[in-house]
Amino acid sequence: MHKNKMKPNRSKARGECINIGLIGFGTIGSGVAKFLLESRGVLLKRTGMEFNLLWVCDKDLSSKRGVNIPKNILTRDADRVINDPGVDIIVELIGGIHPAKEIIIKALSQGKHVVTANKLLLASEGDVIFKKARECDREICFEASVAGGVPVIKIIREGMVGNRFSSIFGILNGTSNFILSSMTGAGSSFKTALREAQEKGYAEKDPSLDIKGFDSSHKLAILSLLAFGKRVNLDDIYVEGIEHISNFDIQYAKELGYVIKLLAIAKRYGNELEVRVHPTFLPSGYLLSSVSGVYNAIFIEADLVGKQLFYGQGAGKLPTTSAVVSDIVDIGYNIRCGKGAAKLIVPKDTEIKSIRKMDDVVTRYYVHFSAIDKPGVLANIADLLGRHHISIASVVQKERSKAHIVPIVMLTHEAREKDMQAALARIDKLPAIKKKSVLIRLEK
């Protein structure tokens, strides 16, 4: 028995407590419900407000979730929750675009404030939802949509509201970071590291969204909107996953003084914004390089605060519950003070006019060629790179294997993506090149 356990209170008049309707009773929803039922006393002591779980809605009400919910607050009917005049805040935790979008729009229209963790929905339909929130003078909070227990949304929206942002670099997917950390630290193969992540519950049965980089791109779209005031279409974000990263490249990164991370990157260049997600060589002494396991980290550079790093658990039941509860309390303060949508959801104006095309990105590169060991091959590669305005910073050629195939590893100086891709297309057609060349971008 928890000391702070309190039963839901339906007898209180509206205004004496903040009433919550929870829609979505899965992993995160059950964590939020458990906290609101068993730790209401904690919030009462710390905030002076009582938060009351009035409804729990889900299609599946029979599966065990490790929390006892009073039967009188359970329902399968989302409209019953949304239309209840006693509900102050709708917490949407079902995920996906439909019917989550319709639920949130209905809730705002009914005068409810909304808390959501739905990164895909906000990245895809955020402009529609934020516009509706403004029209209805209601608040929508979404701290749990990016980096779970790391309060980066609040940091950007409130703590850094006076800053002009230059760049954001983020390790935003714990699954991919766990896999790369296992490959780096234990020498595990990609398949072994993925299987371990699934066994530990860090990766889904179908891990595609994580390992292919799409989860990170959804989060990057949200951060870009908040920091730069520019809505980025998901199709405009260059996305490359980690499924082709080999132990060979992990080992070479170590030897060259780098580590490989799946990085989400947003950079301002005048009135252009560069947005991309891909495996990245980072110097081993760089702040983000030491972030391992399922942890997330966001590195922000802005004019007033300079360089800042925010680090913590980015996913999981408890960290995400923490973020959801924080949003609930924030809205509770506004309700108690008689405020509506008190926070600026996103900047109204922006200097950013366009998204930089990936072809125009300029960076350094690591390239791994697999070539037949014979005279002239290295010279041919260097010649083709030079013809495309790519300068070699260093080159390493290992001893031949039994099949007479040698790995040639190069680091380039800064070059344009379009030129690099054109050069590789020609190099890979050389008779001496036996595998598709591996390219990984570098960041300082």
Side-chain angles (χ1 to χ4, degrees):
M1 177 69 69
H2 293 261
K3 292 181 179 180
N4 293 319
K5 187 170 183 179
M6 300 170 68
K7 294 182 179 180
N9 193 333
R10 286 181 165 274
S11 64
K12 282 182 171 289
R14 183 176 173 85
E16 292 185 21
C17 67
I18 308 300
N19 290 319
I20 298 155
L22 174 63
I23 302 178
F25 191 41
T27 300
I28 308 304
S30 62
V32 172
K34 184 178 179 69
F35 182 89
L36 292 174
L37 288 173
E38 299 180 356
S39 301
R40 287 169 62 200
V42 173
L43 292 183
L44 181 60
K45 289 178 182 178
R46 294 179 180 177
T47 68
M49 292 182 288
E50 188 173 342
F51 293 87
N52 180 44
L53 184 59
L54 199 60
W55 290 106
V56 173
C57 176
D58 199 273
K59 289 182 178 179
D60 175 14
L61 298 178
S62 58
S63 297
K64 294 182 179 180
R65 270 89 165 191
V67 54
N68 292 321
I69 305 293
K71 290 184 178 181
N72 66 316
I73 71 170
L74 289 170
T75 182
R76 292 183 175 85
D77 184 1
D79 286 337
R80 188 177 183 186
V81 181
I82 295 169
N83 294 328
D84 187 335
V87 172
D88 300 293
I89 302 171
I90 294 291
V91 179
E92 180 275 310
L93 295 175
I94 63 175
I97 295 179
H98 304 289
K101 176 184 176 181
E102 290 76 19
I103 286 171
I104 290 176
I105 295 296
K106 284 181 184 179
L108 294 169
S109 299
Q110 289 293 328
K112 318 297 185 187
H113 301 281
V114 173
V115 174
T116 181
N118 198 328
K119 52 188 174 288
L120 174 59
L121 177 61
L122 294 176
S124 304
E125 303 284 345
D127 52 344
V128 175
I129 291 170
F130 297 146
K131 180 181 178 181
K132 189 65 177 181
R134 287 192 295 269
E135 290 174 353
C136 297
D137 196 28
R138 297 293 90 180
E139 189 161 2
I140 179 165
C141 291
F142 45 95
E143 187 65 63
S145 65
V146 179
V150 184
V152 66
I153 301 296
K154 186 173 292 186
I155 288 164
I156 292 175
R157 289 173 75 178
E158 300 175 33
M160 294 185 178
V161 68
N163 282 261
R164 184 176 188 269
F165 295 87
S166 302
S167 60
I168 296 176
F169 290 10
I171 296 172
L172 301 179
N173 184 266
T175 301
S176 293
N177 202 46
F178 176 88
I179 291 170
L180 291 175
S181 298
S182 180
M183 293 175 71
T184 302
S188 303
S189 68
F190 177 83
K191 288 184 178 180
T192 299
L194 173 57
R195 185 168 58 250
E196 183 183 1
Q198 290 171 325
E199 290 171 352
K200 291 180 178 290
Y202 301 148
E204 300 290 340
K205 185 176 181 180
D206 179 2
S208 299
L209 279 176
D210 297 322
I211 65 173
K212 291 183 180 295
F214 296 114
D215 176 79
S216 295
S217 73
H218 301 159
K219 296 168 182 175
L220 182 63
I222 294 171
L223 293 180
S224 297
L225 179 62
L226 294 173
F228 302 102
K230 177 65 176 178
R231 183 184 184 275
V232 180
N233 293 321
L234 292 178
D235 290 342
D236 290 333
I237 301 177
Y238 175 82
V239 181
E240 185 180 315
I242 65 168
E243 63 269 32
H244 301 302
I245 298 296
S246 70
N247 293 86
F248 179 93
D249 298 312
I250 293 279
Q251 184 58 39
Y252 253 103
K254 285 184 182 180
E255 293 182 17
L256 294 167
Y258 293 86
V259 296
I260 301 176
K261 296 292 183 183
L262 181 67
L263 212 60
I265 299 168
K267 290 183 181 180
R268 178 200 296 270
Y269 291 93
N271 63 0
E272 275 191 322
L273 184 65
E274 183 179 293
V275 281
R276 47 193 169 99
V277 174
H278 51 70
T280 309
F281 265 47
L282 293 176
S284 56
Y286 194 56
L287 285 170
L288 286 172
S289 301
S290 60
V291 177
S292 60
V294 294
Y295 281 80
N296 283 189
I298 302 95
F299 178 84
I300 297 175
E301 187 169 5
D303 60 348
L304 300 182
V305 299
K307 298 177 180 179
Q308 302 275 321
L309 178 68
F310 304 94
Y311 165 85
Q313 293 190 57
K317 186 173 185 174
L318 297 182
T320 308
T321 294
S322 174
V324 171
V325 170
S326 174
D327 281 344
I328 289 171
V329 171
D330 275 357
I331 293 175
Y333 280 128
N334 285 339
I335 292 173
R336 187 171 70 172
C337 295
K339 298 178 182 178
K343 294 178 187 174
L344 181 65
I345 299 173
V346 295
K348 291 184 179 180
D349 300 307
T350 178
E351 298 175 10
I352 303 297
K353 303 303 179 186
S354 61
I355 303 300
R356 176 172 286 195
K357 294 180 179 179
M358 190 61 190
D359 278 350
D360 296 326
V361 167
V362 175
T363 188
R364 296 182 64 205
Y365 297 90
Y366 159 95
V367 194
H368 166 205
F369 304 101
S370 296
I372 294 175
D373 185 16
K374 66 178 184 179
V377 174
L378 185 56
N380 288 339
I381 292 172
D383 176 62
L384 285 172
L385 290 172
R387 290 181 184 219
H388 289 85
H389 318 292
I390 299 160
S391 175
I392 300 170
S394 63
V395 58
V396 178
Q397 183 172 338
K398 292 286 188 177
E399 294 183 3
R400 71 170 65 178
S401 66
K402 291 181 180 180
H404 301 284
I405 304 297
V406 295
I408 300 172
V409 171
M410 291 182 179
L411 294 182
T412 76
H413 291 293
E414 285 192 337
R416 194 170 62 144
E417 179 80 14
K418 184 177 181 179
D419 294 332
M420 193 71 215
Q421 294 293 348
L424 284 187
R426 292 189 64 183
I427 291 170
D428 283 348
K429 291 180 181 178
L430 293 173
I433 301 299
K434 294 304 175 183
K435 292 181 181 179
K436 184 178 180 180
S437 301
V438 175
L439 179 147
I440 303 177
R441 298 161 191 86
L442 276 70
E443 288 293 335
K444 298 177 182 178

